[in-house]
Amino acid sequence: MMSKQYKYETLVRAFHADVYRYAVWLIRDKSIAEDVVQETFLRAWKSLDSLQDEHAAKAWLITILRRENARRFERKQLDLVDIEDVITIDERATSDGNADTHALHHAIDQLADEYKEPLIMQALLGFSGEEIAQQLQLNKNTVMTRLFRARSQLKQIMTQDQQTGGLANG
Amino acid sequence: MDELTFRRHVLADPFSQDPQVLQAAHQDPVKQQFWYEIKQQELALQQALHIAVPDDLADKLLWEQVSQTQPDSFSKPTTPRRPLWYALAASFVMAIAVSWMSFHSNDSTFYDDVIAHIEHVSEHEMTGDVISLETLNNKLAKFGGVINATFGQILSANFCVIDGVESLHVQIGELDNPTSVFILPKDVVVTESIKSSRIQGQILEYQTANVLILGTVSQSFFKVTEQLAQHLAFSREASI
């Protein structure tokens, strides 16, 4: 039988990248995101015995991460900053970052959180409508509506940006 | 399926396999084109969301877990590192073997096998590729171990069975003069041995493992030993 330590290390290796990426999108600051990921995995270690279904491990970690992030806000309620001051699009740039990627980052940032969150859960983490509904404590229909609106808005923003860019260049 | 329902469906799930959606797209080129555009947008979105992850993040997470959740078992070596033996002969490998056999007959089978492994197998363990820290940590994990920093070139890291003992043999340093590191279960007792001027051997003792380091007396050997003592740790649990 797999020891707790070995199980934990398997968990870290398998999911740290997705958990980190989600944290950066949720928190919008790489340094804070890394701290929260660290707290998430430490808490996961402490309650590893409660993880019965290994197929649900990623969703379990994301649940812990969201709780840890909420705790961060409870601790630092008064320490408010302007989100725009915290992160710039370039900070999240991929190694092969290009104009389209930057435009998409910009478009994602313009989405309201209620649309952005389910969209990132689906596109980044591969969660199903049911899994997102469980994470966000919504019903599945609401989630599907939000996903539909998120992508509609994203398409609209991208089209507008292209037109604006085209006019500016033309 | 009407246009609005179709659009709602594919915007909510761009890679839907719903038969009704597939049929609607198949029957209507306009719907098909719209779906194609959404799929393209989705692929670009997925790519944009894949921000770079720090290379050492997994190792940091493992290190934090070992050091913070198990401080009493977060073991730096429990006894001071100590010189074991210094062999005399031109062939250092054989010199060690003979010396051990002479002075520690009880351990001779195990030591014979260690020497035989270094002499006959170690060269074949090196593939020419440098082993990443992540790969090494994946293997150390079996012993509950983790290294939190890179030092020297890791030339090989392979599990091997020595005299019935499952161990991890890591070769570090220079290709023509590597230092051998054997990660051994705690119940394998390695004892002090004799001395010579050319060969160095040291043991790092942890709560859950013993680490046997063998190499010629050189800067590389001292560096590897020092770095291991600083950066290698073991948790209480091992899967062996």
Side-chain angles (χ1 to χ4, degrees):
Chain A
M1 189 172 163
M2 199 187 280
S3 76
K4 183 179 178 184
Q5 183 67 37
Y6 194 66
K7 188 175 171 183
Y8 176 75
E9 292 182 9
T10 306
L11 201 72
V12 170
R13 302 279 176 207
F15 299 117
H16 75 280
D18 273 350
V19 172
Y20 172 78
R21 288 188 181 114
Y22 178 73
V24 172
W25 281 104
L26 185 70
I27 295 162
R28 305 179 183 204
D29 181 290
K30 283 185 172 180
S31 173
I32 297 172
E34 194 169 322
D35 288 346
V36 175
V37 169
Q38 211 146 286
E39 291 299 319
T40 298
F41 276 95
L42 284 175
R43 201 161 285 273
W45 162 262
K46 287 172 191 165
S47 52
L48 196 56
D49 294 337
S50 69
L51 176 63
Q52 299 300 322
D53 179 5
E54 287 173 15
H55 298 294
K58 196 194 309 190
W60 180 69
L61 286 168
I62 294 297
T63 304
I64 298 174
L65 181 117
R66 289 171 59 79
R67 276 193 210 135
E68 286 303 313
N69 191 44
R71 281 200 185 94
R72 183 174 67 89
F73 276 105
E74 285 166 15
R75 286 195 298 266
K76 295 194 173 183
Q77 270 181 21
L78 301 175
D79 189 17
L80 296 176
V81 290
D82 187 337
I83 280 294
E84 292 299 320
D85 293 338
V86 174
I87 193 165
T88 63
I89 291 164
D90 286 343
E91 280 185 87
R92 283 179 311 222
T94 51
S95 53
D96 60 343
N98 53 39
D100 288 344
T101 303
H102 287 185
L104 258 169
H105 285 167
H106 182 63
I108 295 164
D109 278 337
Q110 290 185 60
L111 296 177
D113 284 346
E114 65 179 31
Y115 298 137
K116 186 164 34 184
E117 268 201 286
L119 182 68
I120 291 171
M121 281 184 177
Q122 189 186 54
L124 175 66
L125 302 173
F127 282 179
S128 66
E130 284 88 354
E131 285 173 315
I132 298 169
Q134 208 167 6
Q135 287 284 341
L136 301 178
Q137 297 179 314
L138 298 168
N139 71 49
K140 191 189 164 190
N141 286 340
T142 307
V143 168
M144 298 318 273
T145 301
R146 289 187 185 184
L147 286 169
F148 151 70
R149 287 186 182 153
R151 287 199 179 84
S152 295
Q153 288 183 16
L154 206 59
K155 195 170 191 300
Q156 204 175 351
I157 295 165
M158 292 298 286
T159 307
Q160 277 171 0
D161 283 354
Q162 278 168 6
Q163 284 170 352
T164 310
L167 287 174
N169 293 330
Chain B
M1 183 180 283
D2 65 57
E3 185 75 20
L4 183 61
T5 309
F6 177 82
R7 289 188 173 218
R8 283 184 70 92
H9 204 110
V10 298
L11 280 164
D13 183 5
F15 298 107
S16 171
Q17 291 297 311
D18 187 318
Q20 286 184 311
V21 176
L22 291 169
Q23 192 184 4
H26 184 68
Q27 291 170 346
D28 184 346
V30 177
K31 286 184 181 134
Q32 207 166 42
Q33 178 61 29
F34 177 80
W35 197 4
Y36 173 77
E37 286 171 13
I38 295 301
K39 280 181 181 172
Q40 293 301 111
Q41 177 182 292
E42 188 65 12
L43 291 173
L45 173 66
Q46 288 178 359
Q47 194 182 352
L49 289 173
H50 268 248
I51 50 177
V53 177
D55 288 341
D56 57 352
L57 180 60
D59 295 322
K60 275 188 195 169
L61 293 171
L62 293 172
W63 184 255
E64 281 301 314
Q65 176 259 318
V66 171
S67 61
Q68 287 197 20
T69 66
Q70 305 170 41
D72 55 332
S73 64
F74 170 68
S75 46
K76 288 294 174 186
T78 53
T79 56
R81 298 186 311 279
R82 59 196 185 222
L84 294 179
W85 65 86
Y86 308 83
L88 291 165
S91 165
F92 96 84
V93 167
M94 289 312 293
I96 295 171
V98 171
S99 303
W100 262 333
M101 288 172 71
S102 303
F103 288 85
H104 295 276
S105 56
N106 289 343
D107 299 325
S108 62
T109 307
F110 177 73
Y111 291 148
D112 283 349
D113 283 1
V114 169
I115 299 310
H117 187 87
I118 292 176
E119 193 177 27
H120 299 296
V121 184
S122 58
E123 193 179 337
H124 302 292
E125 289 180 333
M126 292 188 271
T127 61
D129 294 330
V130 175
I131 308 298
S132 70
L133 188 63
E134 186 177 7
T135 301
L136 177 57
N137 273 323
N138 276 335
K139 296 189 176 184
L140 278 171
K142 199 163 185 186
F143 292 84
V146 63
I147 285 182
N148 73 341
T150 309
F151 52 92
Q153 285 197 326
I154 305 165
L155 304 167
S156 72
N158 291 288
F159 291 111
C160 54
V161 178
I162 297 176
D163 191 23
V165 175
E166 193 171 351
S167 71
L168 176 63
H169 180 206
V170 183
Q171 295 185 88
I172 301 174
E174 301 145 21
L175 204 58
D176 57 350
N177 184 24
T179 298
S180 272
V181 180
F182 289 90
I183 314 294
L184 304 165
K186 186 64 185 173
D187 55 1
V188 176
V189 178
V190 279
T191 55
E192 293 191 39
S193 189
I194 62 157
K195 299 177 180 177
S196 122
S197 59
R198 298 199 42 195
I199 302 303
Q200 189 93 345
Q202 291 195 324
I203 293 171
L204 303 181
E205 292 182 6
Y206 296 82
Q207 289 188 358
T208 59
N210 284 329
V211 177
L212 180 60
I213 310 167
L214 294 173
T216 55
V217 177
S218 64
Q219 285 294 330
S220 172
F221 175 84
F222 290 119
K223 189 180 164 197
V224 168
T225 306
E226 189 66 33
Q227 295 288 318
L228 277 173
Q230 281 181 22
H231 298 295
L232 177 63
F234 288 84
S235 66
R236 187 174 282 143
E237 290 191 53
S239 59
I240 283 183

